Amino acid sequence: MKRSLKIISMSIFAVMAFVMPVFAEGEAASGMSTKAIAAAIIMTFAAAAGAIAMAIAVSKAEDGTARQPEAAGSIRTLMMMGLVFIETAIIYALITAIIIIFVL
C-alpha cells in the first residue's frame, strides 16, 4: 500500500511539474489552455483508475473461476457487468473533459 501511494504521489508531482511552465508562459505563448490541461488530467486519472479496476476485476474473476470451475458462467457474467460499469465511469470522464474543452 505504501509503495502504490508513493507511486501515485510521484505521478501527481510529475504531472504538476510539467504543467507549471505552461501557466508561467501564458496562454498565447504556450498554445495550451488551462481547459486542455484540465481535460487531460481528468482523462489521465480516469483511464488509469479504470485500467487498474479492470485488471483487478479480471484477476479476481479468473481466481474465482480457478477455485470453482462449475461457476465459470455466472462469474464471467458478473465480471462483464462490472467491466461495463467501470467503462461507463471512464466514458463519463470523457464527456466531462469534452464539456470542459468545448462548452466552458
Side-chain angles (χ1 to χ4, degrees):
M1 184 67 182
K2 278 187 168 183
R3 185 171 187 263
S4 63
L5 185 62
K6 188 176 183 181
I7 290 171
I8 290 170
S9 62
M10 291 301 290
S11 300
I12 292 171
F13 177 74
V15 167
M16 294 313 242
F18 289 121
V19 168
M20 287 302 166
V22 172
F23 289 121
E25 293 176 4
E27 187 174 330
S30 67
M32 291 178 69
S33 68
T34 46
K35 292 180 188 180
I37 294 169
I41 290 172
I42 287 172
M43 283 310 301
T44 300
F45 288 125
I52 292 169
M54 286 182 180
I56 291 171
V58 170
S59 170
K60 297 294 182 179
E62 291 297 321
D63 188 38
T65 302
R67 291 174 189 242
Q68 285 187 319
E70 65 274 2
S74 63
I75 291 172
R76 187 179 307 115
T77 303
L78 291 173
M79 179 193 67
M80 292 305 288
M81 288 296 293
L83 293 178
V84 166
F85 291 135
I86 294 168
E87 191 66 32
T88 303
I90 297 170
I91 292 171
Y92 285 151
L94 174 65
I95 291 170
T96 304
I98 290 171
I99 289 172
I100 287 174
I101 290 174
F102 294 113
V103 176
L104 297 180

